[in-house]
Structure formats: C-alpha cells, structure tokens
C-alpha cells in the first residue's frame, strides 16, 4: 500500500542514494564473487539468461577465472570476470585468456565503469567473432533508499548486435507454443520434487519451455540432463567440450567405467559429426500424457540417482572421464 503525505495528499517517496560498492562487498573484490555465485539470478535477469553458476575461481592454466556456469535455457557455457573498479587492460587480457582456455559461448565482464576503449574492444569482438561467441559488459553499482539495506544495480552496457531482440523473440516464441508451456510446467514440477527431497542438483526452481533440462555437473564441458525425445524420456550425461577429441576421450573413458556397473541398460551414443556425446538411460513417455507426469517425475529422479551413484562409484566425475 502506498504511503501518502497527509500535508499535501501526494505519495511519500524516498530518495535513491548511491552506495560505494566496496563498502557493500567489504573492500575486497573476492567477496563479490561468492555473492554472485549465490545470487546468479540477479545477473541472469540483466542478461536475459537462465543463469546457473557452478564454480568460482575456476582454474585456467595457471590462472583462476572468477565464475563459470551455463545458461540453462540453451545449455551454453558462460564465463564471468569481475572487477570492482574501472576497467583496465590487465583484466581485458585476463578475460581473453580465460575465453581461450574455456571456449565459452558467452563472455561477461563486470566492472564499476567501462573505459570507452574497452567498451569499443568488446563491441569489436562481437562484430568480428562468429555468432556462437558473445561478449557482454555489465556496470555494477549499489543503491539504497534511506536506511534500507543496499541493493545491487547492474546495467548492460555492451551486448551483441540484436541481442535484446533475440531474447524477446525467444520468449515470445516459447509463449505461443502449447507444448513448450507443458515442458515448462513439467520441469517446474520436477524441480519442486527435487527441492522437497533436498537433491542439490541445481539451484534453479523455474522450468523452461523446451524439451530438455540441463543440470550442472560442476565441470566445464560435461552436464547431466533430463529430456523428452520422440515418445521416450532420457536421463543422461552429455559431453559437450568444444574440442571433439576431448569429448571422444571422455566418452570412451566413461563408457568403460559405467557399462560394467550400471544397474540398468545404458545407451552409448558417440554422435559422430555432432557437437557432443551422450550416455543415456531411456523409458517410454510423452509430455502430452499429463496423467503420467507424477510417474515421469519419479523415474527422472530415480534414473538420475542411478547415474550419479555410478559416477560416484567410479571415483567422481574427474576420475570417470580421465
């Protein structure tokens, strides 16, 4: 309910004040990284992504990338470099080094302000690189009203050409499809069931209007997933490193270790000539069978548990694929 100033009958409004970002994040840039890891939706809202961050201080050679994760709506890799000060050449160099070491689709640089030459550099990269590589610049500040707790304020200052149109178009297309709406409703139901059972496979609680749902593995280039295919459901682990040779090596290692111990039938799919490899367990099903959704939820959870327990028995994901 709006408070009214009784002296003149007009709404009583507070004054928005700026807060020094280093006062909010304890004078150390490193405290911003764990905060963003725990509040990925704040950045995701600005970018127009369903952002899930899985690792902080991700090693890249002898360096440490601030954050890495995925856009769960597209399963595309996102890397983030934070700088609680004005942009500088050193961080631009770090950003490109990390991009070269992780080969992400989305590269995000966060700073309190962008020099014009650094803004121009990101614009140039967006023009010169292919459509599967995108660079974003985000300015971070903090505000409060009166004595309220500070609130983060993020502003998108660099983005690929037509990015905003693409996000809006994607949202519109999803909203017009009844089948996509069914997928979104089902994934939201599945996520709620995972949360009730305290299965910490993802921090997201929102389903997406698509036939798959990716679950971060904590390792770049590998993800777990639940999918609806042609008249069947799939619980899988997917290898999607940008280097096909890495996918092939990981796939072969995982097959040799999972096949002898998995308590159900697995399908091993190298997907030659495509962007990744898949190891999956299947069952019959269709998103249109709404009266069977409860059964599908139980099967997805049980199948993911089987898969993750088999990976754990092999020594964990790093041991499984090495």
């Amino acid at each position: 309910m709006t408070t009214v100033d009784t002296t003149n009958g007009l709404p009583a409004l507070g004054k928005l004040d700026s807060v020094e970002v280093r006062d909010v994040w304890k004078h150390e840039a490193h405290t911003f990284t764990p905060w963003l890891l725990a509040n990925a939706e704040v950045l995701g809202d600005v970018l127009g992504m369903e952002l899930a961050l899985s690792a902080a201080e991700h090693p890249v050679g002898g360096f440490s990338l601030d954050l890495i994760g995925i856009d769960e709506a597209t399963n595309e890799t996102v890397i983030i470099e934070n700088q609680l000060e004005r942009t500088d050449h050193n961080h631009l160099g770090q950003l490109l080094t990390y991009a070269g070491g992780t080969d992400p689709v989305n590269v995000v640089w966060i700073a309190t302000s962008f020099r014009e030459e650094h803004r121009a550099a990101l614009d140039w990269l967006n023009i010169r690189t292919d459509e599967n590589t995108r660079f974003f610049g985000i300015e971070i500040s903090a505000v409060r009203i009166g004595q309220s707790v500070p609130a983060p304020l993020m502003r998108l200052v660099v983005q690929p050409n037509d990015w905003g149109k693409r996000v809006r178009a994607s949202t519109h297309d999803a909203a017009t499809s009844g089948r996509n709406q069914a997928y979104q409703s089902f994934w939201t139901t599945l996520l709620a069931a995972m949360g009730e059972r305290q299965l910490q496979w993802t921090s997201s609680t929102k389903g997406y209007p698509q036939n798959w749902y990716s679950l971060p593995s904590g390792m770049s280039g590998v993800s777990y997933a639940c999918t609806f295919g042609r008249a069947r459901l799939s619980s899988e682990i997917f290898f999607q490193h940008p280097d096909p040779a890495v996918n092939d090596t990981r796939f072969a290692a995982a097959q040799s270790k999972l096949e002898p111990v998995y308590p159900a039938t697995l399908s091993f799919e190298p997907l030659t000539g495509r962007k990744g490899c898949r190891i999956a367990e299947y069952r019959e099903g269709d998103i249109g069978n709404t009266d069977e959704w409860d059964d599908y939820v139980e099967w997805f959870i049980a199948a993911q548990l089987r898969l993750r327990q088999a990976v754990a028995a092999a020594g964990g994901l790093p041991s499984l694929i090495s």
Side-chain angles (χ1 to χ4, degrees):
M1 183 173 63
T2 303
T3 302
V4 176
D5 187 337
T6 56
T7 61
N8 55 24
L10 298 176
L13 303 177
K15 180 176 179 292
L16 192 66
D17 295 316
S18 297
V19 182
E20 173 57 48
V21 293
R22 288 186 176 273
D23 290 339
V24 176
W25 284 287
K26 308 299 184 184
H27 306 283
E28 294 289 340
H30 292 299
T31 66
F32 180 73
T33 297
W35 177 85
L36 190 55
L37 181 63
N39 296 273
E41 71 282 355
V42 177
L43 178 58
D45 288 344
V46 177
L47 293 170
M49 298 178 186
E50 300 292 346
L51 192 59
L53 301 178
S54 57
E57 303 300 329
H58 179 77
V60 179
F63 302 94
S64 293
L65 167 65
D66 284 335
L67 288 163
I68 190 169
I70 62 169
D71 178 0
E72 291 188 315
T74 62
N75 209 31
E76 295 172 342
T77 303
V78 182
I79 66 168
I80 302 164
E81 177 67 5
N82 303 318
Q83 183 180 3
L84 289 191
E85 57 190 355
R86 196 179 188 191
T87 57
D88 58 41
H89 285 348
N90 286 341
H91 281 81
L92 176 59
Q94 289 173 208
L95 188 75
L96 296 178
T97 299
Y98 298 146
T102 57
D103 197 20
V105 174
N106 303 291
V107 181
V108 182
W109 188 4
I110 301 176
T112 56
S113 65
F114 273 75
R115 297 179 184 272
E116 283 304 315
E117 55 268 39
H118 296 145
R119 191 194 307 252
L122 294 188
D123 284 336
W124 181 83
L125 287 165
N126 277 325
I127 293 170
R128 294 294 182 177
T129 53
D130 62 38
E131 63 180 9
N132 292 321
T133 307
R134 311 182 193 105
F135 290 84
F136 299 87
I138 303 283
E139 287 186 344
I140 177 70
S141 59
V143 295
R144 65 155 48 106
I145 298 176
Q147 297 303 309
S148 68
V149 296
L153 185 62
M154 294 188 181
R155 186 167 70 95
L156 186 62
V157 297
V158 179
Q159 62 182 324
N161 290 338
D162 294 331
W163 175 251
K165 292 181 181 178
R166 290 175 62 179
V167 170
R168 288 192 295 273
S170 175
T171 302
H172 173 75
D173 291 345
T176 60
S177 168
R179 197 168 182 84
N180 282 345
Q181 289 176 344
Y183 287 134
Q184 185 169 28
S185 179
F186 177 82
W187 297 132
T188 300
T189 300
L190 176 62
L191 291 171
M194 290 178 183
E196 289 171 1
R197 301 176 200 197
Q198 300 183 329
L199 298 169
Q200 298 177 350
W201 296 341
T202 177
S203 60
S204 179
T205 58
K206 179 183 177 182
Y208 310 127
Q210 60 198 23
N211 71 313
W212 79 93
Y213 199 98
S214 294
L215 300 165
S217 70
M219 177 172 287
S220 179
V222 184
S223 63
Y224 294 100
C226 300
T227 70
F228 282 90
R230 293 183 179 179
R232 62 180 183 174
L233 283 56
S234 169
S235 167
E236 61 191 54
I237 184 168
F238 195 77
F239 305 93
Q240 54 188 17
H241 193 279
D243 185 346
V246 173
N247 287 328
D248 292 344
T249 299
R250 289 177 169 181
F251 176 82
Q255 179 175 4
S256 68
K257 296 173 184 177
L258 288 178
E259 194 167 25
V261 300
Y262 199 76
T265 301
L266 282 175
S267 175
F268 297 92
E269 304 167 17
L271 304 179
T272 304
R274 298 176 64 180
K275 293 184 177 180
C277 309
R278 176 186 297 117
I279 297 175
E281 179 183 348
Y282 292 102
R283 65 152 284 174
E284 293 182 353
D286 187 275
I287 190 65
N289 299 334
T290 55
D291 57 341
E292 296 185 28
W293 278 14
D294 288 345
D295 189 31
Y296 294 169
V297 165
E298 295 302 320
W299 183 83
F300 273 126
I301 290 176
Q304 278 287 304
L305 282 170
R306 283 192 291 271
L307 183 56
R308 292 161 186 266
Q309 288 167 356
V311 170
L317 193 54
S319 295
L320 178 74
I321 62 178
S322 61

